[in-house]
Amino acid sequence: QVQLVESGGGLVQTGGSLRLSCAASGSISSFYRMGWYRQAPGKQRELVATITSGGSTNYADSVKGRFTISADNAKNTVQLQMNSLKSEDTAVYYCNAAVRYTFVEVWGQGTLVTVSS
């Protein structure tokens, strides 16, 4: 089974930027959708952004205009560029992938993003 490994999390000040990367152990062409979710302390996991194999993107209202999701099929990675970060963006960010022709979803282990004010 393909595994996902996130990287790029860390501590950043309010207004700063971070770029998260999700590397798949196999070809991301096996997924019809990939995305980023996040979970803040004491809250449920929520969708941040998704991208389909056709390149269509979807964003949570809270990150529209600030975050950009992109995929690099050659490198089998999905990135999340996060700009104008706010304290409320503090969370563990998880990479997610939906496998084609199945109901199977794969999750990464998560990477912590902390935005300090």
Side-chain angles (χ1 to χ4, degrees):
Q1 184 174 342
V2 176
Q3 294 182 327
L4 305 175
V5 178
E6 302 98 333
S7 61
L11 175 64
V12 64
Q13 290 188 332
T14 301
S17 298
L18 278 177
R19 186 175 179 86
L20 304 183
S21 184
C22 172
S25 59
S27 173
I28 64 173
S29 63
S30 62
F31 306 125
Y32 71 85
R33 185 191 69 242
M34 296 188 72
W36 290 92
Y37 290 71
R38 67 186 181 187
Q39 187 167 17
K43 295 187 177 181
Q44 291 188 332
R45 191 172 298 188
E46 63 177 4
L47 179 145
V48 176
T50 61
I51 185 167
T52 68
S53 58
S56 297
T57 57
N58 181 52
Y59 295 92
D61 288 342
S62 59
V63 307
K64 282 181 180 177
R66 300 188 297 124
F67 291 10
T68 302
I69 189 170
S70 60
D72 186 332
N73 291 327
K75 296 182 179 179
N76 294 317
T77 59
V78 173
Q79 292 80 36
L80 184 70
Q81 178 65 43
M82 305 186 295
N83 299 327
S84 302
L85 284 161
K86 305 176 181 179
S87 57
E88 51 262 45
D89 294 320
T90 294
V92 177
Y93 284 70
Y94 297 90
C95 183
N96 168 272
V99 181
R100 289 182 187 273
Y101 316 121
T102 74
F103 294 106
V104 174
E105 295 196 7
V106 182
W107 292 89
Q109 83 287 352
T111 185
L112 177 62
V113 171
T114 303
V115 184
S116 65
S117 56

